[in-house]
């Protein structure tokens, strides 16, 4: 029997509509600095999230009998609080079911009430403890906080590097000040009185700062803050012939930073990442292969965002809903399968239980994971 082209078209439309009725669209917001000095971190976050979304769509996750199709809406917060709040509102207006971001604590925290007011969960690797202490039930931190990371930085100086004299510098950011405060607690417990400077990124006088470091004869310089001041400080130190070990946090623990340091971070450089590296679990190898094929070498933030998107998807599937009012309570009830971090479980505040801080040393310009360092 011959079927008319019009009937074939009608049948195709019916089948398409039927398929659509059996599919649920899940929009997830990703927001971080996509332009400016910290853009490599934002792109690392977005790329890690994209790998997770690709996997979810390929594997075919079903939520309450319907196949879920995941997509990302990526926003640029420019590492600026006001731009971050505007980006947060755009994601709310776009109808996202969940948000991963921001990168900077100083942006994550002011944006958090916007998501909370809309009933949308926010997950971030930002490390300032205040983030999960604002009484927001839908805020989650997927990584260690400044207390854990700052303590580790201090221990690298005194336990690993056996420093007798230390100089602590921060860039006056929420992140930098938080790290420095925890470092100072460690040094105080070890009866070490360090040099201390908090600098304005817009007015920092590198020659004067380096002069103070040189006069202190410090064995180790610990820096809390972001790349713009950190790289300028490191280059100025090395140009002045100061060989003190340089110890810093996760915003400067990335292959792109080592490359940008132009040889100045090839040795005597230690940094930390508040998360588990892909080398620790078998799932990490598959992630690395997929990431390299699509984007090149992954940054420090990409494995964490990758796990975060998978956690959101698992919570939705278990709750049988993409409605935040339904799936967010599930996030504090049970543990999740982190493809890279392993078991992921949040406490009552939304902090990751048993957060891990990984230590790296630059060996010949390559960040090398350190084991049994203390």
């Amino acid at each position: 029997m011959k079927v008319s082209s019009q009937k074939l078209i009608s049948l195709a439309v019916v089948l398409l509509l039927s398929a659509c009725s059996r599919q649920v669209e899940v929009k997830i917001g990703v927001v971080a600095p996509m332009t400016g000095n910290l853009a490599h971190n934002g792109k690392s976050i977005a790329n890690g999230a994209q790998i997770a979304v690709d996997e979810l769509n390929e594997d075919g996750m079903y939520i309450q009998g319907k196949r879920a199709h995941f997509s990302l809406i990526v926003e640029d917060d420019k590492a600026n609080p006001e731009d971050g709040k505007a980006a947060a509102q755009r994601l709310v207006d776009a109808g996202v079911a969940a948000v991963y971001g921001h990168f900077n604590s100083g942006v994550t925290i002011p944006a958090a009430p916007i998501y909370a007011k809309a009933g949308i969960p926010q997950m971030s690797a930002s490390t300032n403890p205040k983030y999960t202490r604002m009484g927001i039930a839908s805020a989650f931190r997927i990584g260690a906080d400044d207390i854990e990371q700052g303590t580790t930085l201090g221990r690298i100086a005194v336990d690993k590097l056996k420093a007798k004299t230390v100089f602590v510098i921060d860039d006056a950011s929420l992140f930098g000040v938080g790290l420095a405060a925890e470092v100072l607690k460690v040094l105080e417990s070890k009866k070490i009185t360090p040099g201390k400077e908090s600098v304005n990124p817009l007015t920092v006088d590198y020659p004067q700062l380096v002069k103070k470091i040189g006069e202190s004869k410090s064995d180790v310089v610990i820096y809390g803050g972001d790349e713009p001041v950190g790289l300028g400080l490191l280059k100025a130190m090395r140009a002045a012939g100061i060989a003190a070990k340089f110890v810093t946090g996760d915003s400067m623990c990335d292959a792109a930073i080592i490359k940008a340091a132009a040889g100045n971070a090839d040795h005597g450089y230690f940094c930390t990442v508040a998360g588990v590296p892909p080398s620790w679990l078998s799932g990490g190898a598959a992630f690395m292969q997929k990431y390299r094929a699509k984007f090149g070498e992954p940054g420090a933030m990409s494995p964490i965002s990758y796990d975060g998107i998978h956690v959101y998807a698992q919570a939705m599937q278990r709750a049988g809903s993409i409605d935040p009012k339904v799936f967010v309570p599930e996030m504090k009830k049970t543990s999740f399968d982190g493809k890279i971090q392993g078991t992921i479980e949040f406490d009552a505040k939304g902090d990751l239980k048993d957060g891990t801080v990984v230590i790296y040393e630059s060996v010949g310009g390559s960040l090398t994971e350190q084991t049994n360092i203390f």
Side-chain angles (χ1 to χ4, degrees):
M1 181 178 67
K2 187 174 182 182
V3 180
S4 69
S5 59
Q6 183 61 44
K7 286 184 177 179
L8 286 173
I9 293 172
S10 298
L11 179 60
V13 170
V14 169
L15 291 173
L16 178 61
L17 291 173
S18 177
C20 289
S21 69
R22 296 195 301 271
Q23 180 170 290
V24 58
E25 294 292 331
V26 187
K27 294 186 287 186
I28 297 179
V30 172
V31 57
M34 301 296 167
T35 55
N37 291 325
L38 302 180
H40 63 279
N41 292 301
K43 291 173 182 175
S44 173
I45 288 169
N47 291 345
Q50 188 61 58
I51 296 294
V53 162
D54 291 345
E55 287 182 353
L56 290 167
N57 289 333
E58 289 166 7
D59 294 344
M61 174 176 283
Y62 283 80
I63 298 175
Q64 210 170 27
K66 293 185 176 183
R67 179 161 179 159
H69 179 266
F70 292 84
S71 62
L72 297 181
I73 298 179
V74 179
E75 286 285 352
D76 180 9
D77 65 18
K78 303 178 183 178
N80 177 277
E82 293 306 313
D83 286 304
K85 289 190 285 186
Q89 190 59 55
R90 288 195 296 272
L91 289 175
V92 169
D93 294 342
V96 298
V99 169
Y100 187 97
H102 302 237
F103 172 68
N104 309 80
S105 295
V107 183
T108 298
I109 291 170
I114 296 173
Y115 303 121
K117 184 178 179 181
I120 296 171
Q122 177 191 17
M123 188 185 300
S124 175
S126 291
T127 55
N128 190 280
K130 182 181 176 182
Y131 170 53
T132 52
R133 289 162 174 78
M134 295 189 290
I136 295 176
S138 55
F140 298 88
R141 188 198 319 276
I142 186 166
D145 63 15
D146 282 342
I147 297 172
E148 296 164 294
Q149 185 172 202
T151 298
T152 301
L153 294 177
R155 291 194 63 200
I156 291 173
V158 297
D159 295 338
K160 164 68 176 176
L161 301 177
K162 309 299 181 185
K164 301 300 181 184
T165 52
V166 180
F167 207 101
V168 180
I169 301 166
D170 69 69
D171 65 353
S173 67
L174 196 60
F175 168 63
V177 170
L179 277 187
E182 299 305 323
V183 167
L184 292 173
K185 291 177 185 177
V186 174
L187 298 180
E188 182 181 357
S189 72
K190 300 293 185 178
K191 310 301 182 186
I192 295 175
T193 302
K196 176 73 174 73
E197 288 287 334
S198 184
V199 300
N200 184 329
L202 301 178
T203 60
V204 57
D205 184 337
Y206 290 108
Q208 184 63 28
L209 184 57
V210 167
K211 181 181 178 184
K212 289 182 180 180
I213 295 170
E215 290 172 348
S216 74
K217 301 187 185 303
S218 294
D219 303 315
V220 173
V221 171
I222 302 179
Y223 170 68
D226 290 322
E227 170 190 346
V229 171
L231 273 180
L233 170 63
L234 177 63
K235 290 178 178 179
M237 282 173 52
R238 299 307 185 225
I242 296 175
K245 303 293 192 300
F246 194 89
V247 178
T248 187
D250 54 9
S251 68
M252 291 191 62
C253 205
D254 191 280
I257 299 293
I258 304 301
K259 182 178 180 181
N264 292 294
D266 285 1
H267 56 84
Y269 187 99
F270 296 81
C271 59
T272 55
V273 171
V276 175
S279 63
W280 283 20
L281 292 176
S282 58
F287 166 78
M288 294 288 281
Q289 184 177 15
K290 291 175 183 178
Y291 194 105
R292 285 170 174 152
K294 190 161 189 173
F295 301 114
E297 197 64 25
M301 297 296 109
S302 50
I304 307 173
S305 62
Y306 168 82
D307 266 358
I309 301 304
H310 275 291
V311 167
Y312 272 143
Q314 290 172 38
M316 293 174 189
Q317 186 179 45
R318 292 179 190 180
S321 176
I322 66 169
D323 183 346
K325 292 193 296 294
V326 180
F327 77 79
V328 168
E330 189 72 26
M331 295 181 69
K332 292 183 181 178
K333 284 182 184 177
T334 184
S335 61
F336 298 91
D337 174 24
K339 304 291 184 179
I340 292 175
Q341 296 191 58
T343 300
I344 292 176
E345 189 173 358
F346 300 102
D347 66 17
K349 297 191 301 296
D351 278 324
L352 181 69
K353 291 184 179 179
D354 302 319
T356 301
V357 178
V358 185
I359 301 166
Y360 292 88
E361 178 182 1
S362 177
V363 179
S366 177
L367 286 175
T368 303
E369 182 187 334
Q370 300 296 291
T371 56
N372 301 319
I373 195 165
F374 299 134

